[in-house]
């Protein structure tokens, strides 16, 4: 009985397994299309009609359960990175929102220490220092691929906004 069940399962699974290399090739092709389109900067992928199908497919798939980013192994990039916030303005440092439990929160603030006493005390008194913060700006293009070339890695930023 067990042997018959195992044989039946193998009869069903074996033909499906033979399709796996094809599925991997298709996924790799899609991943390379996504990489090529995402790295287009002038114009962005939105300005390239041939990029609409693979990128729209990606955006739709991202909402699916069990989504995994399609990759392009030939390019050596893997899945993209994501940085929601842009750099702080010059003279400001990355700050963190407060967390209810005293732990460091999200890096969504920019902070700056200012001397409020001016030259009267040479800025050395602790009570002359005031820390101010502003919201850290959001990136217009929060996703990125690091694409290796012969002697360097170039970062390509992109957005999935339609």
């Amino acid at each position: 009985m067990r042997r018959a069940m195992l044989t039946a399962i193998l009869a069903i699974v074996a033909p499906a397994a033979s399709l796996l290399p094809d599925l991997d090739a298709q996924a790799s092709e899609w991943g390379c299309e996504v990489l090529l389109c995402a790295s287009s900067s002038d114009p962005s992928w939105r300005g390239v009609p041939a990029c609409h199908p693979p990128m729209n497919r990606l955006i739709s798939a991202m909402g699916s359960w069990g989504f995994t980013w399609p990759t392009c192994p030939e390019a050596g990039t893997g899945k993209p990175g994501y940085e929601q916030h842009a750099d702080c303005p010059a003279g400001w440092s990355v700050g963190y929102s407060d967390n209810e439990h005293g732990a460091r929160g999200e890096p969504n603030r920019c902070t700056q220490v200012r001397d409020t006493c001016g030259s009267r005390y040479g800025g050395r008194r602790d009570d002359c220092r005031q820390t101010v913060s502003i919201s850290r700006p959001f990136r217009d293009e929060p996703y990125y691929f690091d694409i290796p070339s012969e002697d360097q890695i170039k970062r390509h930023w992109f957005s999935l906004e339609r």
Side-chain angles (χ1 to χ4, degrees), residues 57 78 80:
R57 177 180 171 197

Side-chain angles (χ1 to χ4, degrees), residues 33-112:
E33 289 173 338
V34 167
L35 175 63
L36 191 62
C37 290
S39 62
S40 177
S41 58
D42 192 18
S44 75
W45 68 266
R46 287 179 244 27
V48 181
C51 287
H52 294 179
M55 296 303 280
N56 288 336
R57 177 180 171 197
L58 172 72
I59 293 166
S60 294
M62 288 176 76
S64 302
W65 181 84
F67 168 76
T68 57
W69 198 280
T71 60
C72 183
E74 298 86 357
T77 57
K79 67 179 190 173
Y82 181 82
E83 288 183 19
Q84 180 180 13
H85 294 97
D87 295 335
C88 289
W92 294 76
S93 302
V94 173
Y96 295 84
S97 59
D98 293 332
N99 192 330
E100 292 177 17
H101 306 290
R104 187 181 265 189
E106 185 181 350
N108 61 356
R109 309 290 300 162
C110 294
T111 62
Q112 188 179 62

Side-chain angles (χ1 to χ4, degrees), residues 81-159:
Y82 181 82
E83 288 183 19
Q84 180 180 13
H85 294 97
D87 295 335
C88 289
W92 294 76
S93 302
V94 173
Y96 295 84
S97 59
D98 293 332
N99 192 330
E100 292 177 17
H101 306 290
R104 187 181 265 189
E106 185 181 350
N108 61 356
R109 309 290 300 162
C110 294
T111 62
Q112 188 179 62
V113 178
R114 295 183 178 168
D115 176 13
T116 58
C117 295
S119 61
R120 291 185 301 211
Y121 299 104
R124 294 205 164 115
R125 291 182 44 158
D126 286 339
D127 58 346
C128 290
R129 293 177 182 235
Q130 177 186 21
T131 301
V132 294
S133 70
I134 57 173
S135 293
R136 191 168 168 198
F138 288 101
R139 288 187 183 279
D140 291 333
E141 298 181 320
Y143 293 93
Y144 65 89
F145 278 112
D146 286 334
I147 302 176
S149 66
E150 294 173 12
D151 58 343
Q152 63 181 352
I153 294 177
K154 184 164 183 180
R155 183 163 284 182
H156 292 273
W157 293 94
F158 65 100
S159 172

